[in-house]
Amino acid sequence: MTWIEDWLTGRTQCVQIQGEKSGECSVESGVPQGTVLGPCLFSVYIDDLEGELKQRRLDVLIKKFADDTKGAKVIKGPEDRIKMQEALDCLCDWADRWGMSCNFSKCKVMHAGKKNPRYEYFMRGTQVSTTEEERDVGVLISSNLKPSAQCSKAACTAKSVLNQLQRNFHYRDRITFLKLYKQYVRPHLEFSVPAWSPWLAGDREVLEKVQEKAVKMVTGLKAVSYEDRCAELGLETLQVRRERLDMALVHKYIGKENQTLFRMMSANGGARTRRVAGAKNIASKYARTDIRKESFAIRVVETWNRLPDSVKLTEKPESFKKELKKTKA
């Protein structure tokens, strides 16, 4: 493996701004950006990040995505707070040991739950700041776990793009509109939507009104109501599309026998119904709060179980989507 060492050794970097170039300095850590091998080596480098936490049995959930790391733990009292603080100390020790410094100004803690004691946490003597809203892989997460902020953000971005299209395309025939809308506007309303699908009527309306405004922009539509305009254009409401995106994701997980999904939708400790016995049917765990009931693993169960067995047994994703459109799940 000396070729990897040769590839990483002796590299330098510099900064160029408006034609002015800085002097070169040696790169003593990290991997070259823009390379194919770089992300792979970085993943190997941080693979054991949570190893010490598991050895100490601190019971802290660690999730990594590129160079972002998130930790979570149920905090019921001082003992849990001590374990969470110990986990943060372990992560700092790991970073120091392997030459990766933590940016404490970007480290934040989010307290979720009405009964959360909201303890303070520290990293190398610096108190971790508290946040009520944070972006995670492009999705806004709020401390109350409701998707209202994400809905407002998605609708605002989509309306901004829609206004640009309105200013630049004065005659909007159906073919042109559908291409522009599907490519530039609707993706903002559906980005990672299975993770934040809204259940409050107000949040759903915020998103739906963007598409309602869009269909009114089409030249020559005779229909009056929003639903009729969508039908004339061959569009579905965003709510219908969200349900179908949910079903497509469940089909993908079940087809790959995703263990994480199976744990979330396990029949063990869940409420069994007559529909659970069907082909590839699932049973959800008990949910008390609306936030839990509307989470992906819970809300999709009844809709999925109502699908005909012939649809659920479809193997190819594209074929499943075609069969799904023929049903009224």
Side-chain angles (χ1 to χ4, degrees), residues 96-319:
D96 293 341
R97 186 166 59 250
W98 294 103
M100 296 187 68
S101 59
C102 296
N103 190 337
F104 299 132
S105 63
K106 291 185 178 180
C107 296
K108 299 179 181 179
V109 59
M110 179 181 289
H111 302 287
K114 295 180 180 179
K115 297 182 179 180
N116 194 304
R118 305 180 74 87
Y119 292 118
E120 295 179 349
Y121 300 94
F122 298 84
M123 299 182 72
R124 290 294 184 261
T126 302
Q127 183 177 341
V128 182
S129 60
T130 303
T131 182
E132 298 298 324
E133 188 176 282
E134 193 69 22
R135 179 175 296 181
D136 184 20
V137 197
V139 177
L140 280 178
I141 307 296
S142 301
S143 58
N144 59 12
L145 302 182
K146 293 181 180 179
S148 301
Q150 172 61 24
C151 291
S152 299
K153 168 183 168 291
C156 182
T157 305
K159 283 191 290 187
S160 177
V161 176
L162 191 61
N163 290 336
Q164 293 180 34
L165 296 178
Q166 188 175 23
R167 289 193 297 268
N168 290 281
F169 294 86
H170 299 288
Y171 180 80
R172 297 172 288 273
D173 62 277
R174 302 185 186 192
I175 297 177
T176 302
F177 163 77
L178 287 176
K179 288 182 178 180
L180 293 172
Y181 175 72
K182 290 179 180 180
Q183 184 170 353
Y184 295 108
V185 181
R186 195 166 66 183
H188 293 289
L189 302 172
E190 296 181 341
F191 173 74
S192 298
V193 74
W196 56 271
S197 185
W199 64 87
L200 297 176
D203 292 338
R204 290 179 176 179
E205 186 177 0
V206 166
L207 298 175
E208 209 71 55
K209 279 191 173 297
V210 179
Q211 181 164 286
E212 184 175 355
K213 177 183 178 180
V215 297
K216 288 181 180 179
M217 291 165 49
V218 182
T219 305
L221 278 185
K222 299 179 180 180
V224 178
S225 68
Y226 166 59
E227 290 76 10
D228 291 341
R229 287 174 182 268
C230 288
E232 192 170 339
L233 290 171
L235 289 174
E236 300 159 328
T237 64
L238 296 177
Q239 176 61 23
V240 171
R241 283 185 56 82
R242 286 194 293 270
E243 292 177 358
R244 290 183 176 172
L245 287 171
D246 280 349
M247 294 301 98
L249 191 56
V250 174
H251 178 265
K252 177 182 178 180
Y253 281 156
I254 290 180
K256 292 184 177 181
E257 297 186 354
N258 186 282
Q259 295 302 315
T260 301
L261 183 77
F262 288 161
R263 284 195 297 270
M264 290 191 298
M265 299 179 172
S266 173
N268 298 327
R272 296 192 64 85
T273 66
R274 289 179 301 170
R275 296 186 180 275
V276 176
K280 289 194 174 183
N281 278 11
I282 50 183
S284 66
K285 295 182 179 180
Y286 172 74
R288 180 175 55 86
T289 63
D290 289 340
I291 292 175
R292 176 61 175 156
K293 290 176 183 177
E294 296 298 332
S295 64
F296 176 80
I298 304 298
R299 72 167 183 266
V300 300
V301 173
E302 289 300 322
T303 305
W304 173 264
N305 289 347
R306 286 198 302 267
L307 292 177
D309 290 348
S310 59
V311 177
K312 286 181 286 190
L313 291 172
T314 306
E315 294 185 1
K316 296 182 178 180
E318 292 303 321
S319 300

Side-chain angles (χ1 to χ4, degrees), residues 2-14:
T2 56
W3 62 274
I4 296 181
E5 181 179 355
D6 294 338
W7 181 64
L8 294 173
T9 303
R11 286 189 172 270
T12 59
Q13 64 182 12
C14 63

